[in-house]
Amino acid sequence: YKRQYQRRVRGSTMTAQSEKQTKTYTWEEVMKHNKEDDLWLVISGRVYDLSGFIEKHPGGNMMLEAVGKDAYELFAIHMNHSQNAWSILSRFYIGDLEITKEKKMIHSKL
């Protein structure tokens, strides 16, 4: 009997098992994917492959404004996306943004 624990993460549910296998990406890797047909975005430190989704997105190429930065503020606050949008976003999750040594030091001071 294998028990899996679930954790709620901004509109998506992940199992403890899947979290152990999470791939990490650097900003350098993410920035290579910055076009409509090859687009990766970072939201709350999580990386999403939204390639080809722009044509389905109600805001169209507005997603390109989020390239190169963590788009949480744009996605959650300015655009105030619904719970349904968070659910849709979770389908495109491919991994986490790598935490650099600088960021680790900042977080440890908090």
Side-chain angles (χ1 to χ4, degrees):
Y1 173 72
K2 189 174 187 180
R3 192 171 183 188
Q4 292 183 343
Y5 297 93
Q6 293 184 336
R7 176 174 72 117
R8 185 99 172 132
V9 180
R10 285 192 174 65
S12 65
T13 303
M14 296 179 58
T15 63
Q17 182 180 2
S18 65
E19 287 178 323
K20 289 178 188 173
Q21 300 170 0
T22 301
K23 181 155 175 50
T24 58
Y25 299 94
T26 63
W27 270 116
E28 186 177 81
E29 289 173 292
V30 172
M31 290 300 296
K32 292 176 184 176
H33 307 274
N34 60 6
K35 297 176 179 52
E36 288 185 23
D37 61 342
D38 182 20
L39 179 64
W40 290 10
L41 294 183
V42 174
I43 299 175
S44 295
R46 296 166 61 85
V47 181
Y48 298 90
D49 182 351
L50 295 164
S51 302
F53 184 71
I54 286 180
E55 58 195 40
K56 296 175 187 171
H57 185 258
N61 64 1
M62 178 180 274
M63 293 190 318
L64 291 173
E65 292 178 28
V67 170
K69 57 187 169 192
D70 191 309
Y72 175 77
E73 190 173 317
L74 178 65
F75 187 84
I77 299 170
H78 293 300
M79 301 312 298
N80 195 24
H81 281 88
S82 67
Q83 192 64 27
N84 186 47
W86 281 104
S87 179
I88 291 169
L89 180 66
S90 69
R91 296 181 210 157
F92 298 96
Y93 172 74
I94 58 171
D96 292 330
L97 189 64
E98 180 179 85
I99 297 176
T100 62
K101 289 180 184 178
E102 284 179 4
K103 293 211 182 222
K104 282 182 184 177
M105 288 173 51
I106 292 168
H107 288 295
S108 67
K109 291 179 182 178
L110 297 177

